[in-house]
Amino acid sequence: MSTTLEAAIFLSMNGRAKEAIEFYKLHFHAKQLLLVTYEDMAKRDNSLQLTDENKHWITHSVLAIGKTKMMIAEDPMDINVKYTIGNNTSICIQSADLNEIENFYKSLTTDDRVRIIVPLSSNAFSKAYGIIEDPFGIQIQLMYDHRLQ
């Protein structure tokens, strides 16, 4: 197990991410570590459909509440599932050890009870990012993040 491995709570807020961030900053004194809007992300990924409505939406943010990290974005992990309260949370397992993330993914996907939502692959923000749903209905994001070193 690498020393950079961490798990974070991930909340999908269905267009209310900014409101949620301000709420947690106010009530839990959360510290904002990162905030990326759709407009910011479109500069890295030209396939992102940018509109006047969504350009200021949050594609990814990280807050620190004490020693715990919480990530907040607008969209659900599985865009094919209608947003409802209860399916808007997931766990993000991340590490600066690329092999560790790849091994977790390989292990998880050998279990026939696991559903692959997004296959592990490289994208605009990570060399390895994928999403699975475990046998208990929990969506798990796996992400390589070199910044954790």
Side-chain angles (χ1 to χ4, degrees):
M1 203 72 53
S2 76
T3 59
T4 64
L5 182 65
E6 67 180 29
I9 302 158
F10 192 100
L11 305 176
S12 299
M13 301 308 288
N14 200 32
R16 298 179 67 193
K18 283 185 182 178
E19 181 184 349
I21 289 167
E22 293 308 313
F23 179 87
Y24 296 124
K25 285 166 72 174
L26 175 67
H27 295 290
F28 295 123
H29 308 287
K31 182 179 174 188
Q32 184 175 303
L33 304 177
L34 176 72
L35 189 130
V36 181
T37 64
Y38 277 64
E39 192 169 37
D40 299 330
M41 185 58 91
K43 294 173 187 170
R44 292 193 240 171
D45 180 358
N46 60 6
S47 69
L48 191 65
Q49 297 297 316
L50 203 57
T51 66
D52 284 338
E53 180 183 280
N54 75 7
K55 70 182 181 183
H56 297 293
W57 279 17
I58 296 167
T59 186
H60 187 61
S61 68
V62 180
L63 302 178
I65 299 175
K67 295 180 184 180
T68 301
K69 286 184 182 172
M70 181 165 55
M71 300 172 179
I72 300 175
E74 307 294 355
D75 295 321
M77 295 299 95
D78 187 346
I79 58 171
N80 297 314
V81 176
K82 184 180 183 286
Y83 176 93
T84 58
I85 301 298
N87 73 355
N88 62 326
T89 58
S90 64
I91 300 169
C92 183
I93 305 292
Q94 54 189 9
S95 175
D97 182 339
L98 181 59
N99 289 329
E100 186 167 48
I101 293 302
E102 289 171 337
N103 289 335
F104 286 151
Y105 182 80
K106 286 176 191 171
S107 177
L108 285 160
T109 56
T110 60
D111 188 317
D112 62 0
R113 301 171 299 161
V114 168
R115 180 173 73 95
I116 298 170
I117 297 172
V118 174
L120 190 71
S121 64
S122 179
N123 62 27
F125 59 87
S126 178
K127 287 183 183 178
Y129 177 79
I131 308 169
I132 62 95
E133 184 175 275
D134 74 13
F136 315 102
I138 305 300
Q139 294 173 352
I140 301 172
Q141 301 172 69
L142 298 166
M143 186 174 89
Y144 165 76
D145 189 344
H146 69 280
R147 299 170 297 178
L148 295 174
Q149 293 186 13

